[in-house]
Amino acid sequence: QVHLAESGGGLVQPGGSLKLSCIISGRTFSTLAMAWFRQTPGKDREFIASISWGVGSTYYAESVRGRFTVSKDNAKNAVYLQMNALKPEDTAVYYCNTQPLIPGLDWGQGTQVTVSS
């Protein structure tokens, strides 16, 4: 089985920073890229950023462009999300997953990010 484990969330004041980690363990499947998503109650999961396993091409949602940076470590099967200049509207549960999504691959538990003074 493949397991997705997000970590690094927490409580931070507006303007602060957090770095999230996503570790892929167990069986590793080849995918084009990894992506970060976030979700708040009553809303669908929102795409945040992605990075390809090959050349490392990155893409960002407009809402986080210029503030968040996605990176990877192929050898460690890990992806990271550096979040700077956090805003209250960034409050959400953050998830990582493959891109494209693989049917039958369970989402991880996510990591809670709360931006509040």
Side-chain angles (χ1 to χ4, degrees), residues 44-99:
D44 293 334
R45 283 191 178 92
E46 174 190 14
F47 167 82
I48 298 301
S50 66
I51 184 167
S52 67
W53 284 115
V55 72
S57 300
T58 59
Y59 298 89
Y60 297 93
E62 182 62 30
S63 59
V64 305
R65 191 185 305 274
R67 299 187 298 120
F68 292 10
T69 302
V70 64
S71 60
K72 64 182 176 69
D73 187 331
N74 295 59
K76 295 181 178 180
N77 287 331
V79 294
Y80 309 96
L81 186 68
Q82 177 66 51
M83 306 185 296
N84 299 323
L86 284 162
K87 305 174 181 179
E89 52 262 45
D90 294 319
T91 296
V93 178
Y94 284 71
Y95 301 87
C96 64
N97 213 323
T98 62
Q99 190 174 61

Side-chain angles (χ1 to χ4, degrees), residues 7-70:
S7 63
L11 174 64
V12 64
Q13 293 184 334
S17 298
L18 285 172
K19 186 175 182 179
L20 307 183
S21 297
C22 171
I23 306 299
I24 302 97
S25 60
R27 294 176 60 190
T28 301
F29 300 148
S30 296
T31 59
L32 178 64
M34 293 295 295
W36 286 96
F37 305 82
R38 66 187 181 189
Q39 186 171 29
T40 57
K43 297 175 61 178
D44 293 334
R45 283 191 178 92
E46 174 190 14
F47 167 82
I48 298 301
S50 66
I51 184 167
S52 67
W53 284 115
V55 72
S57 300
T58 59
Y59 298 89
Y60 297 93
E62 182 62 30
S63 59
V64 305
R65 191 185 305 274
R67 299 187 298 120
F68 292 10
T69 302
V70 64

